[in-house]
Amino acid sequence: MDGEELTEQETALYDRQIRVWGADAQRRLSKSHILVCGLKGTVAEFCKNIVLAGVGSVTLVDDRVVTDESLPANFLILPHENHYNGKTLAEVCCDSLKEFNPMVHVAVERGDISTFGVEFFEKFDAAIISCCSLGKKKLINQKCRKLSKRVAFYTVECRGSCGEMFVDLQDYKYSKKKLEETIECQIEYPSFEEAILVPWRALPRRMSKLYFAMRVIEQFEDVEGRNPGETSIADRLGVLKLRKELCETNSLDESQIPDALLERLLTDTREFPPVCAIIGGILGQEVIKAISGKGDPLKNFFFFDAMDGKGLIEDISGPSTRS
Amino acid sequence: MVGAGGIGCELLKTLALSGFQDIHIVARDAVLRFRPNISITPYHANVKESRFNVDFYKEFDVVLNGLDNLDARRHVNRLCLAADVPLVESGTTGFLGQVTVHLKGKTECYECQPKPAPKTYPVCTITSTPSKDLLFAKLFGDKNLENDLNVRSSDATNLSEHSEDVFECRKGEDIEQYGRRIYDHVFGHNIEVALSNEETWKNRNKPWPIYSKDVFPDKLTKENGKTEKGSTTEDVSAMASLGLKNPQDVWSLAENSRVFYESLRLFFSKRQKEIGNLTFDKDDQLAVEFVTAAANIRASSFGIPLHSLFEAKGIAGNIVHAVATTNAIIAGLIVIEAIKVLKKDSNNYRMTYCLEHPSKKLLLMPVEPYEPNKSCYVCSETPLSLEVNTHHSKLRDFVEKIVKAKLGMNFPVIMSGASIIYEVGEDLEEDMVAIYAANLEKALSELPSPVISGTVLTVEDLQQEFSCRINIKHREEFDEEKEPDGMLLSGRVEAPVDKNSNKPIGNGESTSSALSTEEIQEGERDVEIQETSESAENVTGRKRKLSEVSKGSIPDHSGLPDESSKNQNQLEKLDVDDEDDELIISNDWESLTKKKRL
């Protein structure tokens, strides 16, 4: 591994985790730059995790002004700071994150991320996008893919007891130890757009129902021009109609997307803190894996539902990138 | 909440965010308040203190553990049983973790399944296989403390030379002579002695003796001629004076031998005053250097891979492998179970494993809790039985090796029939203390109320509100190697001991008192969890009783990953999805339980 040795201070601070992933991985982490957009509870958990892990820098993008509604699941916002003086979510979270680990550089970038040019993303090793419209997610994913260097791309959303995470590592090579030898592995990832375009009938029979349900809700919000989470039970009929259409085009039985699940996703749009901790934790681990090149990264969706307690990985790719 | 370490801190945050309004924390670490609208009551204390009694536990709706050691876990388990309060238990190591729910009478208790006992070594193992800091204690520690290192050699033929304390520096001996003598004795002579017992080596690779003259034919002292920097004890380092920089490097035998001499020399020249009072401390650089070198020279003898100082420090110091992400995930899972407990939704309790490599696409794997083990000596009233030589074994042996080490009691009362033969407590009469002290030194059969074959002892820990009966059976002979305690407790499920792999993992740190280098030798084994096909006869029912599934095998859902052994690894998993009933049984739970090698 090229690059400088870890400092004594770093070795001491990260001792426990170096024992898990090794000094090489720690060196790579400390030189990595992470872009984070959309600061709700799940992303706050994620930020804490990678700041504790000791990444080089974290750049926060979220110009929404802090309100009482930002508070419940986001532990980076302290309630006694009643008067935020119009501070943005990114600014308040930035201040809190700095206290978690002074060795990590945490900064705020102002502006609408969808207007940032391709070169902006080149500074980063990973981009994590949350609370964004479907269109923005696709756009940022495309920008990351245009670069010659790989910028790992992640989206993450939690609604009520459910959480979803998507990963695009493009063309990802890593090595892992199998028995005594080290084997080189290569995985090809589809983009977010490519993944969600994979015809449903082409997917494995026992695909997580959450995948389909999330796509229905996502499309509904997109068509209606709403921000993620701006739904209620009043949208039930509209959503059921969309489900019918999507199921017909995709030759999927409507029972694969149960009414009850859709209703939960529509009505309980607030984040549930234990789910934030879980999804934020898994996301943290995946970003650490991608940066350190250590360990099998997950491909390419992860679902968790507190109702059944399962944390499921699904590979949703077209035939060309199916592993 | 009990414990405010890695899991505890994450847990407190998630509890507070999730709307828990009244949280009490017993922990030795300090606790931070970040949501002022919630009542958080910290008890900055050890959970084993007597004020945390059964009445204390009864005040709570649910107890959540974020502990790091077996002892405290057992203690809390017993009190939760006594108070009939549900317990959510957790543990993590590296990327692995697990959460379990324990509700008296409904699910198994924490102790229903085997937990590897704190590791003890038979004397012969200590002298013939590598050991950690025994040598350190022998050289720098309290000479009066018992130490097994030299036992075997004093039995040897060369009695006159070796029955004296060879570890004492002799008059007129310079530090190099002394160092060489220790070196030759430990790595040469002791190995030769061990080799002379041919029985031992029938089924294992023979070690070879290493003598200092082979490694260093020339005189060592002052060969580098450098003056040592640093005058305070913390600065003294053999690595520094030898110019070894990277603690991650694995040293050669020659380098290890150099470090051995140099650290010994530095102890005697720079830290003379401490000699005789030192105990191994993972934060003492020179101590870690010495132990690393000694363990590596030993390992060379046995053809075991050597380790870097960084790795050796982790092993010798029993450093927990921990990452924030796993702790956060586990804390989230604890809260989900805690909410079910408060809703009394006991049909939906799950124990959940956080895996490193997905099994059946599952990275978080929920499993239905097991039913209580009917022969559990903790949550059922099944008596234990003890085979012991009642003429030879003293009450002290019984107290130390069984009551404390195996049964995990802190304040035991031992009764034979109606008479108390031993008791530990804070407010005992002086004369009773004297009687009990005298009893400790008596053989069991010679106690005022003799303990002989057929005696039923009742052992109670009033603090834990826990009591069990032990049927005593006299037995004359014990196998020194297989039954080093000289007694055999049965009726209590114990983890099978495999000499290569029963290392306690991660947060069970305190369960291991000594760790041999041999234990870390096994290679990286890549293991996949195999699934059985959906066998028709097994997929009929919806939620099968787990007892049916696990018949004939030892379910290993117990200690993972905090203190699990790797051998009895079976995994039963029930998928309770309405339509996709499936069953996975794996014989290889290893990938979950193995400690990550660096």
Side-chain angles (χ1 to χ4, degrees):
Chain A
M1 172 77 199
D2 49 9
E4 320 86 69
E5 295 287 320
L6 293 169
T7 64
E8 233 170 87
Q9 195 189 5
E10 285 172 315
T11 311
L13 182 64
Y14 303 128
D15 182 277
R16 298 293 195 274
Q17 62 197 38
I18 291 175
R19 291 178 192 284
V20 176
W21 52 57
D24 265 359
Q26 190 64 51
R27 269 192 289 272
R28 290 192 182 101
L29 278 176
S30 67
K31 283 190 278 177
S32 67
H33 304 285
I34 315 293
L35 174 67
V36 175
C37 176
L39 287 159
K40 281 171 72 181
T42 312
V43 174
E45 284 279 348
F46 163 76
C47 289
K48 169 215 52 180
N49 290 336
I50 53 159
V51 164
L52 291 177
V55 294
S57 79
V58 181
T59 302
L60 308 175
V61 182
D62 198 329
D63 286 347
R64 291 177 295 175
V65 174
V66 176
T67 64
D68 284 344
E69 277 168 40
S70 333
L71 221 111
N74 189 336
F75 65 95
L76 294 176
I77 305 168
L78 300 176
H80 53 78
E81 294 171 23
N82 271 330
H83 312 289
Y84 296 107
N85 301 326
K87 272 193 175 179
T88 66
L89 273 169
E91 286 163 345
V92 173
C93 291
C94 177
D95 293 342
S96 301
L97 281 171
K98 282 177 177 166
E99 288 179 33
F100 278 82
N101 186 351
M103 308 228 287
V104 176
H105 182 73
V106 190
V108 172
E109 187 75 38
R110 289 203 141 222
D112 177 355
I113 191 160
S114 56
T115 65
F116 295 175
V118 170
E119 67 290 344
F120 171 79
F121 296 92
E122 192 159 26
K123 292 178 272 185
F124 301 100
D125 299 288
I128 290 80
I129 310 298
S130 185
C131 329
C132 274
S133 68
L134 177 61
K136 272 192 194 179
K137 284 179 186 168
K138 290 183 193 167
L139 182 70
I140 296 162
N141 192 187
Q142 286 319 320
K143 285 183 179 170
C144 291
R145 285 190 150 241
K146 279 194 186 127
L147 295 161
S148 52
K149 103 181 237 205
R150 185 185 57 243
V151 180
F153 175 85
Y154 301 81
T155 69
V156 64
E157 297 299 336
C158 289
R159 297 171 86 107
S161 60
C162 299
E164 178 189 75
M165 176 186 132
F166 164 79
V167 187
D168 174 15
L169 300 182
Q170 304 174 30
D171 185 8
Y172 184 71
K173 293 190 186 74
Y174 66 106
S175 55
K176 68 169 176 183
K177 267 194 167 169
K178 190 154 192 169
L179 297 170
E180 289 308 301
E181 42 184 341
T182 304
I183 45 174
E184 297 298 317
C185 302
Q186 184 173 9
I187 315 183
E188 250 183 81
Y189 286 77
S191 69
F192 187 58
E193 188 163 15
E194 286 163 351
I196 60 175
L197 278 175
V198 174
W200 292 356
R201 62 180 164 276
L203 295 174
R205 192 175 58 84
R206 292 204 331 208
M207 177 61 57
S208 167
K209 295 178 175 60
L210 201 45
Y211 172 70
F212 302 119
M214 288 296 276
R215 300 290 78 74
V216 174
I217 300 282
E218 184 178 70
Q219 278 228 16
F220 179 80
E221 286 173 341
D222 194 46
V223 172
E224 298 274 311
R226 305 204 198 156
N227 287 319
E230 286 178 357
T231 55
S232 71
I233 196 67
D235 300 314
R236 188 174 176 274
L237 285 178
V239 165
L240 291 181
K241 187 165 161 279
L242 182 61
R243 173 184 70 179
K244 192 161 186 283
E245 287 167 24
L246 287 170
C247 284
E248 273 167 12
T249 2
N250 279 289
S251 344
L252 184 80
D253 195 309
E254 278 189 70
S255 68
Q256 289 297 308
I257 317 176
D259 291 14
L261 178 56
L262 283 175
E263 281 166 22
R264 266 165 65 203
L265 293 172
L266 272 182
T267 52
D268 194 4
T269 57
R270 280 179 315 166
E271 291 175 296
F272 181 41
V275 177
C276 295
I278 291 164
I279 297 284
I282 300 280
L283 178 61
Q285 278 174 4
E286 287 306 314
V287 169
I288 289 165
K289 279 189 214 166
I291 290 168
S292 63
K294 251 198 125 179
D296 300 311
L298 77 76
K299 185 191 172 198
N300 55 349
F301 279 84
F302 178 77
F303 300 94
F304 180 76
D305 187 348
M307 291 282 272
D308 62 14
K310 286 188 204 170
L312 260 175
I313 298 171
E314 297 285 6
D315 180 354
I316 297 165
S317 356
S320 63
T321 52
R322 179 80 49 83
S323 329
Chain B
M1 275 181 60
V2 188
I7 296 174
C9 290
E10 293 283 349
L11 180 56
L12 180 58
K13 168 212 69 197
T14 306
L15 281 174
L17 292 174
S18 304
F20 282 71
Q21 291 296 318
D22 184 15
I23 306 168
H24 293 238
I25 306 167
V26 181
R28 283 186 276 188
D29 309 273
V31 160
L32 180 86
R33 272 165 233 233
F34 76 112
R35 283 287 186 265
N37 53 328
I38 295 166
S39 158
I40 296 178
T41 311
Y43 305 82
H44 198 151
N46 185 336
V47 71
K48 286 160 96 178
E49 282 178 24
S50 54
R51 61 175 154 149
F52 306 120
N53 56 18
V54 71
D55 291 327
F56 176 81
Y57 280 77
K58 277 181 179 159
E59 290 172 40
F60 302 100
D61 297 305
V62 61
V63 174
L64 313 176
N65 269 358
L67 284 164
D68 64 356
N69 67 86
L70 178 66
D71 229 30
R73 283 188 172 108
R74 284 160 60 150
H75 186 86
V76 174
N77 180 48
R78 290 165 190 193
L79 279 157
C80 284
L81 285 168
D84 201 4
V85 177
L87 167 67
V88 183
E89 172 62 71
S90 67
T92 65
T93 182
F95 293 114
L96 306 175
Q98 113 272 357
V99 172
T100 53
V101 191
H102 306 282
L103 178 61
K104 190 177 180 180
K106 176 89 187 169
T107 70
E108 61 175 13
C109 82
Y110 177 69
E111 293 173 89
C112 273
Q113 297 300 330
K115 303 279 181 293
K119 196 170 174 73
T120 54
Y121 289 89
V123 169
C124 50
T125 311
I126 292 169
T127 46
S128 59
T129 50
S131 61
K132 180 192 64 172
D133 48 3
L134 278 168
L135 181 61
F136 180 83
K138 195 80 205 169
L139 290 172
F140 311 117
D142 187 344
K143 296 279 195 291
N144 297 319
L145 285 182
E146 264 184 66
N147 186 312
D148 292 324
L149 187 64
N150 208 23
V151 169
R152 184 54 66 116
S153 55
S154 62
D155 293 341
T157 45
N158 208 346
L159 243 160
S160 58
E161 189 186 339
H162 292 288
S163 58
E164 278 184 32
D165 193 350
V166 289
F167 295 102
E168 201 75 58
C169 191
R170 291 174 189 160
K171 272 186 186 157
E173 192 173 44
D174 74 19
I175 192 72
E176 177 166 350
Q177 288 166 332
Y178 175 55
R180 280 186 187 265
R181 192 166 53 75
I182 298 295
Y183 191 106
D184 291 345
H185 179 82
V186 175
F187 306 117
H189 171 84
N190 278 0
I191 299 287
E192 303 251 24
V193 172
L195 279 170
S196 65
N197 184 355
E198 286 179 19
E199 193 67 21
T200 315
W201 310 107
K202 269 187 178 163
N203 298 312
R204 50 207 303 196
N205 293 329
K206 286 186 182 180
W208 59 90
I210 301 174
Y211 289 97
S212 66
K213 64 177 187 316
D214 302 328
V215 186
F216 290 122
D218 303 321
K219 196 164 167 61
L220 273 166
T221 312
K222 295 292 165 208
E223 71 172 23
N224 54 13
K226 272 186 225 154
T227 49
E228 284 91 38
K229 303 172 284 200
S231 47
T232 58
T233 54
E234 299 91 70
D235 293 347
V236 176
S237 155
M239 272 178 80
S241 63
L242 292 172
L244 294 165
K245 287 218 175 66
N246 191 348
Q248 309 252 2
D249 287 341
V250 177
W251 304 324
S252 66
L253 173 60
E255 283 169 323
N256 277 297
S257 304
R258 243 176 230 277
V259 172
F260 179 87
Y261 279 121
E262 185 62 16
S263 51
L264 186 79
R265 191 182 70 75
L266 288 171
F267 264 118
F268 277 88
S269 59
K270 301 278 177 188
R271 297 174 60 176
Q272 183 77 44
K273 279 186 205 138
E274 298 167 71
I275 290 172
N277 301 310
L278 278 165
T279 50
F280 178 77
D281 172 2
K282 67 178 181 339
D283 298 318
D284 179 341
Q285 171 72 16
L286 194 57
V288 173
E289 290 171 343
F290 177 83
V291 167
T292 302
N296 276 333
I297 300 166
R298 260 288 160 121
S300 305
S301 265
F302 284 81
I304 292 167
L306 308 191
H307 288 83
S308 69
L309 179 108
F310 177 82
E311 292 169 309
K313 178 179 169 180
I315 298 159
N318 253 319
I319 294 177
V320 182
H321 295 206
V323 285
T325 49
T326 316
N327 288 336
I329 294 166
I330 289 302
L333 293 168
I334 295 173
V335 175
I336 289 172
E337 291 310 316
I339 291 171
K340 290 181 199 166
V341 167
L342 297 183
K343 287 181 175 169
K344 306 222 183 306
D345 187 11
S346 62
N347 290 329
N348 285 312
Y349 291 172
R350 292 291 178 270
M351 44 190 192
T352 307
Y353 298 113
C354 180
L355 312 178
E356 186 168 5
H357 304 289
S359 159
K360 192 100 185 164
K361 302 196 296 189
L362 287 169
L363 208 51
L364 300 174
M365 181 190 281
V367 180
E368 229 180 304
Y370 288 66
E371 290 182 345
N373 175 358
K374 289 191 180 63
S375 60
C376 173
Y377 76 105
V378 178
C379 70
S380 82
E381 291 184 358
T382 316
L384 298 162
S385 60
L386 181 73
E387 290 175 41
V388 59
N389 187 326
T390 51
H391 305 309
H392 290 169
S393 288
K394 292 177 185 169
L395 181 62
R396 177 185 295 284
D397 300 324
F398 175 70
V399 171
E400 296 297 329
K401 291 169 181 169
I402 302 296
V403 177
K404 288 192 177 160
K406 293 261 163 52
L407 304 183
M409 293 189 183
N410 306 306
F411 291 94
V413 179
I414 302 172
M415 284 172 295
S416 170
S419 55
I420 298 177
I421 54 178
Y422 182 69
E423 187 176 1
V424 177
E426 281 150 9
D427 43 10
L428 297 176
E429 300 289 335
E430 253 175 56
D431 53 338
M432 291 316 289
V433 173
I435 292 172
Y436 296 146
N439 281 353
L440 275 182
E441 306 311 324
K442 289 180 181 149
L444 294 173
S445 61
E446 282 152 18
L447 287 163
S449 38
V451 174
I452 52 172
S453 249
T455 304
V456 179
L457 289 179
T458 304
V459 188
E460 267 184 64
D461 187 313
L462 296 177
Q463 204 189 40
Q464 297 178 343
E465 302 263 337
F466 166 55
S467 146
C468 67
R469 282 168 298 143
I470 304 178
N471 298 323
I472 301 293
K473 201 176 156 195
H474 174 79
R475 191 174 118 196
E476 208 53 46
E477 297 288 333
F478 286 87
D479 183 320
E480 194 192 324
E481 188 153 1
K482 288 185 190 136
E483 299 156 325
D485 288 343
M487 40 187 101
L488 183 67
L489 184 71
S490 50
R492 169 175 174 268
V493 202
E494 251 190 282
V497 173
D498 177 277
K499 67 176 184 304
N500 276 334
S501 56
N502 69 339
K503 63 186 166 223
I505 293 192
N507 287 345
E509 74 206 282
S510 72
T511 60
S512 169
S513 53
L515 192 57
S516 77
T517 338
E518 192 181 32
E519 292 184 89
I520 39 172
Q521 72 181 315
E522 80 263 36
E524 183 91 9
R525 273 176 263 171
D526 200 292
V527 178
E528 282 162 89
I529 293 181
Q530 293 162 2
E531 299 154 10
T532 56
S533 57
E534 297 156 49
S535 103
E537 52 181 349
N538 274 334
V539 290
T540 47
R542 292 232 335 210
K543 295 177 182 176
R544 267 155 278 105
K545 294 267 187 292
L546 277 137
S547 52
E548 291 169 24
V549 180
S550 57
K551 236 172 232 166
S553 63
I554 306 163
D556 174 46
H557 51 277
S558 51
L560 190 221
D562 33 284
E563 45 298 292
S564 64
S565 72
K566 299 169 53 172
N567 248 17
Q568 85 275 21
N569 298 322
Q570 256 105 15
L571 157 65
E572 287 85 10
K573 179 236 158 199
L574 274 187
D575 189 322
V576 289
D577 200 318
D578 294 2
E579 46 189 86
D580 304 331
D581 262 6
E582 61 195 307
L583 174 66
I584 300 174
I585 297 187
S586 162
N587 289 323
D588 248 329
W589 196 224
E590 276 204 25
S591 56
L592 310 180
T593 61
K594 84 182 168 198
K595 188 183 249 170
K596 190 123 180 107
R597 291 196 66 212
L598 290 164

PDB file of all heavy atoms in Angstrom, chain B residues 109-121:
ATOM      1  N   CYS B 109     -33.224 -18.964  28.946  1.00  0.00           N
ATOM      2  CA  CYS B 109     -32.511 -17.910  29.658  1.00  0.00           C
ATOM      3  C   CYS B 109     -31.099 -17.824  29.063  1.00  0.00           C
ATOM      4  O   CYS B 109     -30.708 -18.657  28.252  1.00  0.00           O
ATOM      5  CB  CYS B 109     -32.476 -18.151  31.160  1.00  0.00           C
ATOM      6  SG  CYS B 109     -31.189 -19.287  31.740  1.00  0.00           S
ATOM      7  N   TYR B 110     -30.359 -16.815  29.471  1.00  0.00           N
ATOM      8  CA  TYR B 110     -29.026 -16.611  28.908  1.00  0.00           C
ATOM      9  C   TYR B 110     -28.118 -17.815  29.141  1.00  0.00           C
ATOM     10  O   TYR B 110     -27.208 -18.088  28.371  1.00  0.00           O
ATOM     11  CB  TYR B 110     -28.401 -15.347  29.501  1.00  0.00           C
ATOM     12  CG  TYR B 110     -26.996 -15.090  29.025  1.00  0.00           C
ATOM     13  CD1 TYR B 110     -26.762 -14.718  27.708  1.00  0.00           C
ATOM     14  CD2 TYR B 110     -25.913 -15.252  29.879  1.00  0.00           C
ATOM     15  CE1 TYR B 110     -25.477 -14.504  27.251  1.00  0.00           C
ATOM     16  CE2 TYR B 110     -24.621 -15.038  29.428  1.00  0.00           C
ATOM     17  CZ  TYR B 110     -24.415 -14.663  28.117  1.00  0.00           C
ATOM     18  OH  TYR B 110     -23.132 -14.466  27.665  1.00  0.00           O
ATOM     19  N   GLU B 111     -28.399 -18.562  30.205  1.00  0.00           N
ATOM     20  CA  GLU B 111     -27.507 -19.661  30.555  1.00  0.00           C
ATOM     21  C   GLU B 111     -28.045 -21.036  30.179  1.00  0.00           C
ATOM     22  O   GLU B 111     -27.499 -22.055  30.599  1.00  0.00           O
ATOM     23  CB  GLU B 111     -27.164 -19.590  32.049  1.00  0.00           C
ATOM     24  CG  GLU B 111     -26.336 -18.361  32.360  1.00  0.00           C
ATOM     25  CD  GLU B 111     -26.107 -18.149  33.842  1.00  0.00           C
ATOM     26  OE1 GLU B 111     -25.111 -18.681  34.360  1.00  0.00           O
ATOM     27  OE2 GLU B 111     -26.930 -17.480  34.476  1.00  0.00           O
ATOM     28  N   CYS B 112     -29.128 -21.061  29.402  1.00  0.00           N
ATOM     29  CA  CYS B 112     -29.693 -22.350  29.002  1.00  0.00           C
ATOM     30  C   CYS B 112     -28.761 -23.115  28.062  1.00  0.00           C
ATOM     31  O   CYS B 112     -28.862 -24.323  27.940  1.00  0.00           O
ATOM     32  CB  CYS B 112     -31.031 -22.150  28.290  1.00  0.00           C
ATOM     33  SG  CYS B 112     -32.429 -22.092  29.421  1.00  0.00           S
ATOM     34  N   GLN B 113     -27.940 -22.379  27.354  1.00  0.00           N
ATOM     35  CA  GLN B 113     -27.068 -23.012  26.379  1.00  0.00           C
ATOM     36  C   GLN B 113     -25.616 -22.839  26.773  1.00  0.00           C
ATOM     37  O   GLN B 113     -25.279 -21.944  27.524  1.00  0.00           O
ATOM     38  CB  GLN B 113     -27.326 -22.417  24.988  1.00  0.00           C
ATOM     39  CG  GLN B 113     -28.735 -22.662  24.468  1.00  0.00           C
ATOM     40  CD  GLN B 113     -29.071 -24.130  24.352  1.00  0.00           C
ATOM     41  OE1 GLN B 113     -28.187 -24.958  24.115  1.00  0.00           O
ATOM     42  NE2 GLN B 113     -30.331 -24.471  24.526  1.00  0.00           N
ATOM     43  N   PRO B 114     -24.778 -23.713  26.236  1.00  0.00           N
ATOM     44  CA  PRO B 114     -23.373 -23.688  26.651  1.00  0.00           C
ATOM     45  C   PRO B 114     -22.691 -22.352  26.411  1.00  0.00           C
ATOM     46  O   PRO B 114     -22.870 -21.725  25.385  1.00  0.00           O
ATOM     47  CB  PRO B 114     -22.729 -24.771  25.792  1.00  0.00           C
ATOM     48  CG  PRO B 114     -23.706 -25.089  24.726  1.00  0.00           C
ATOM     49  CD  PRO B 114     -25.051 -24.770  25.259  1.00  0.00           C
ATOM     50  N   LYS B 115     -21.953 -21.958  27.383  1.00  0.00           N
ATOM     51  CA  LYS B 115     -21.061 -20.815  27.245  1.00  0.00           C
ATOM     52  C   LYS B 115     -19.686 -21.334  27.623  1.00  0.00           C
ATOM     53  O   LYS B 115     -19.541 -21.936  28.674  1.00  0.00           O
ATOM     54  CB  LYS B 115     -21.427 -19.710  28.239  1.00  0.00           C
ATOM     55  CG  LYS B 115     -22.840 -19.213  28.125  1.00  0.00           C
ATOM     56  CD  LYS B 115     -22.982 -18.211  27.004  1.00  0.00           C
ATOM     57  CE  LYS B 115     -24.384 -17.684  26.900  1.00  0.00           C
ATOM     58  NZ  LYS B 115     -25.344 -18.708  26.479  1.00  0.00           N
ATOM     59  N   PRO B 116     -18.724 -21.123  26.795  1.00  0.00           N
ATOM     60  CA  PRO B 116     -17.394 -21.612  27.161  1.00  0.00           C
ATOM     61  C   PRO B 116     -16.982 -21.024  28.509  1.00  0.00           C
ATOM     62  O   PRO B 116     -17.124 -19.831  28.727  1.00  0.00           O
ATOM     63  CB  PRO B 116     -16.492 -21.079  26.053  1.00  0.00           C
ATOM     64  CG  PRO B 116     -17.406 -20.746  24.932  1.00  0.00           C
ATOM     65  CD  PRO B 116     -18.729 -20.395  25.534  1.00  0.00           C
ATOM     66  N   ALA B 117     -16.536 -21.900  29.376  1.00  0.00           N
ATOM     67  CA  ALA B 117     -16.130 -21.444  30.694  1.00  0.00           C
ATOM     68  C   ALA B 117     -14.836 -20.657  30.548  1.00  0.00           C
ATOM     69  O   ALA B 117     -14.120 -20.814  29.569  1.00  0.00           O
ATOM     70  CB  ALA B 117     -15.903 -22.636  31.596  1.00  0.00           C
ATOM     71  N   PRO B 118     -14.545 -19.820  31.527  1.00  0.00           N
ATOM     72  CA  PRO B 118     -13.256 -19.144  31.500  1.00  0.00           C
ATOM     73  C   PRO B 118     -12.162 -20.185  31.293  1.00  0.00           C
ATOM     74  O   PRO B 118     -12.198 -21.255  31.891  1.00  0.00           O
ATOM     75  CB  PRO B 118     -13.164 -18.519  32.888  1.00  0.00           C
ATOM     76  CG  PRO B 118     -14.573 -18.323  33.298  1.00  0.00           C
ATOM     77  CD  PRO B 118     -15.334 -19.449  32.694  1.00  0.00           C
ATOM     78  N   LYS B 119     -11.238 -19.846  30.440  1.00  0.00           N
ATOM     79  CA  LYS B 119     -10.279 -20.845  30.041  1.00  0.00           C
ATOM     80  C   LYS B 119      -9.287 -21.142  31.161  1.00  0.00           C
ATOM     81  O   LYS B 119      -8.714 -20.258  31.759  1.00  0.00           O
ATOM     82  CB  LYS B 119      -9.510 -20.354  28.830  1.00  0.00           C
ATOM     83  CG  LYS B 119      -8.796 -21.472  28.141  1.00  0.00           C
ATOM     84  CD  LYS B 119      -8.258 -20.999  26.818  1.00  0.00           C
ATOM     85  CE  LYS B 119      -7.424 -22.069  26.185  1.00  0.00           C
ATOM     86  NZ  LYS B 119      -8.199 -23.167  25.659  1.00  0.00           N
ATOM     87  N   THR B 120      -9.130 -22.404  31.426  1.00  0.00           N
ATOM     88  CA  THR B 120      -8.097 -22.798  32.375  1.00  0.00           C
ATOM     89  C   THR B 120      -7.171 -23.763  31.666  1.00  0.00           C
ATOM     90  O   THR B 120      -7.584 -24.471  30.762  1.00  0.00           O
ATOM     91  CB  THR B 120      -8.687 -23.507  33.604  1.00  0.00           C
ATOM     92  OG1 THR B 120      -9.481 -24.594  33.129  1.00  0.00           O
ATOM     93  CG2 THR B 120      -9.542 -22.581  34.422  1.00  0.00           C
ATOM     94  N   TYR B 121      -5.941 -23.761  32.076  1.00  0.00           N
ATOM     95  CA  TYR B 121      -4.983 -24.649  31.437  1.00  0.00           C
ATOM     96  C   TYR B 121      -4.503 -25.704  32.408  1.00  0.00           C
ATOM     97  O   TYR B 121      -4.145 -25.390  33.536  1.00  0.00           O
ATOM     98  CB  TYR B 121      -3.762 -23.856  30.972  1.00  0.00           C
ATOM     99  CG  TYR B 121      -4.048 -22.967  29.822  1.00  0.00           C
ATOM    100  CD1 TYR B 121      -4.479 -21.672  30.025  1.00  0.00           C
ATOM    101  CD2 TYR B 121      -3.885 -23.436  28.530  1.00  0.00           C
ATOM    102  CE1 TYR B 121      -4.748 -20.850  28.953  1.00  0.00           C
ATOM    103  CE2 TYR B 121      -4.141 -22.612  27.453  1.00  0.00           C
ATOM    104  CZ  TYR B 121      -4.576 -21.317  27.672  1.00  0.00           C
ATOM    105  OH  TYR B 121      -4.832 -20.511  26.615  1.00  0.00           O
TER     106      TYR B 121
END
